Amino acid sequence: MARVPPPSERLGDDAVLLDTGHAGASGVIGVYLVPHAGAAGRAGRFDLVESGPQVDIATVEAGVRALGLDPAGVERVLVTHVHLDHAGAAGAWASRHGARVVVLAAGAEHLLDPSRLLASARRVYGDALEQIWGGMTPLPADALEAVEDQQELRVGGRRVRVLATPGHARHHAAFVWPDGVVYTGDAAGVRFPGWPVVRPAVPPPELDLAAWDASFARLRGLEPSELRLTHFGAFDDVAHHLAAAQERTHAWADALLAWADEGCSRSEAQQRIDDLARSELEAVGADEATVRRYLATSDAIMTVAGLERYWRKHHPERWPGWSDARG
Ligand SMILES: [Zn+2]
């Protein structure tokens, strides 16, 4: 049955934000479609930034068709990192539609052979993995375009720069367009249009706050005109956004440590993370639907697990353990 895609949003430079409609919700996971530009661009050709999860590929294909384009017009898929919500469908775009997939070299092996990545996701999601994310088709080796920090790519007639932005994940990259638009993946956190609150995106297993601070400095140094987040949309109040993302990421990490010091249990910490997120949103007048959307994206379980793992790995001398499972 043909899917009706959620509405897409056309952005200032003809790029389009497609909604993967993940888990029946709109506005949570995005894929950006960038039509090829000017004389160098051929009609009907385009690139994608992010693939979305594999379970949502039919919705994204329907979104492409709704723009009057054929999914086979895809040239490249640029993925910011290899988490399932960003790169899950990358291999499927290559095998179904002939896309080449651009990824930072450090993450490439997980696209070629997703078995380890899927095994670690299965430890979190169990048998619900396929239903939630839809697995991951291995990327054919000849479709892989592994890139390095600062490499320049010709993308549809534009010069696009790869910027390594570790922190959320070790192999995370942002993609810098010549007009100052930066596709940030999860390197600038999570935020929904119309709200000033940035939610830290801090899942396990590679969270590294020192590396992330350096990435925030790199992003700031670009003086971007606009940040395009995978979760979810375009934001032009760049200075506010980056400051809030960095400040809240540290504040949540510090809060978790303080709760553990107070003798909190892990489940209490999960509840407190949700309470903290809710209070930040209610302080700016957010409605209940907005609060729920924030809480559902990188949820409390993943957030607490990511921050706990960060403290254990990088500062074990400071981590007291949970009251219900000391050590
Ligand atoms: Zn993500």
Side-chain angles (χ1 to χ4, degrees):
M1 201 177 81
R3 296 205 191 184
V4 178
S8 53
E9 181 189 352
R10 197 169 284 275
L11 303 168
D13 55 2
D14 286 340
V16 179
L17 171 55
L18 300 171
D19 191 331
T20 69
H22 187 65
S26 61
V28 173
I29 303 175
V31 169
Y32 290 91
L33 182 147
V34 187
H36 285 190
R42 283 189 287 136
R45 302 290 283 173
F46 62 89
D47 301 291
L48 297 178
V49 179
E50 312 285 37
S51 71
Q54 186 152 308
V55 73
D56 297 327
I57 189 169
T59 305
V60 176
E61 288 167 338
V64 171
R65 289 194 190 93
L67 298 171
L69 294 166
D70 184 330
V74 69
E75 192 163 299
R76 285 190 176 103
V77 180
L78 288 71
V79 297
T80 58
H81 61 300
V82 302
H83 290 169
L84 292 169
D85 49 335
H86 298 254
W93 275 94
S95 53
R96 284 196 198 194
H97 301 303
R100 297 177 59 72
V101 174
V102 174
V103 65
L104 211 57
E109 60 172 311
H110 296 291
L111 295 184
L112 297 171
D113 175 10
S115 57
R116 273 202 304 144
L117 193 121
L118 289 171
S120 99
R122 194 173 298 284
R123 284 195 286 277
V124 177
Y125 298 102
D127 291 339
L129 178 68
E130 270 73 27
Q131 190 201 329
I132 297 173
W133 298 112
M136 201 165 166
T137 302
L139 180 69
D142 61 0
L144 171 68
E145 201 169 330
V147 295
E148 300 291 345
D149 183 32
Q150 299 293 350
Q151 191 170 328
E152 204 173 76
L153 297 169
R154 282 288 197 169
V155 179
R158 304 171 181 90
R159 287 176 195 276
V160 169
R161 195 146 55 93
V162 178
L163 188 77
T165 42
H168 173 88
R170 215 183 343 236
H171 63 277
H172 193 292
F175 297 106
V176 184
W177 251 244
D179 56 358
V181 166
V182 182
Y183 293 90
T184 57
D186 287 342
V190 168
R191 182 180 174 190
F192 296 113
W195 301 101
V197 174
V198 182
R199 180 181 173 95
V202 290
E206 293 183 347
L207 178 66
D208 181 342
L209 295 190
W212 206 335
D213 282 340
S215 295
F216 279 122
R218 299 188 95 190
L219 287 168
R220 228 174 250 122
L222 297 173
E223 299 184 7
S225 58
E226 187 170 282
L227 305 174
R228 293 187 179 165
L229 278 60
T230 304
H231 321 282
F232 184 93
F235 298 90
D236 61 8
D237 54 350
V238 173
H240 158 77
H241 183 99
L242 292 176
Q246 186 170 18
E247 194 269 327
R248 294 323 293 162
T249 299
H250 280 276
W252 283 27
D254 292 345
L256 194 88
L257 187 64
W259 299 337
D261 276 333
E262 286 168 23
C264 206
S265 70
R266 181 184 282 120
S267 60
E268 282 164 359
Q270 289 162 356
Q271 184 58 52
R272 288 193 188 190
I273 279 287
D274 275 352
D275 293 345
L276 175 59
R278 179 175 284 279
S279 70
E280 289 172 5
L281 288 158
E282 287 177 351
V284 296
D287 54 285
E288 183 61 23
T290 299
V291 171
R292 288 191 183 193
R293 193 169 163 203
Y294 269 91
L295 295 189
T297 306
S298 78
D299 60 48
I301 293 171
M302 293 293 268
T303 298
V304 168
L307 293 172
E308 175 184 346
R309 189 171 168 114
Y310 162 74
W311 286 115
R312 282 182 187 279
K313 189 154 102 185
H314 292 273
H315 302 283
E317 74 291 350
R318 295 181 66 186
W319 180 251
W322 301 115
S323 63
D324 49 345
R326 281 281 167 204

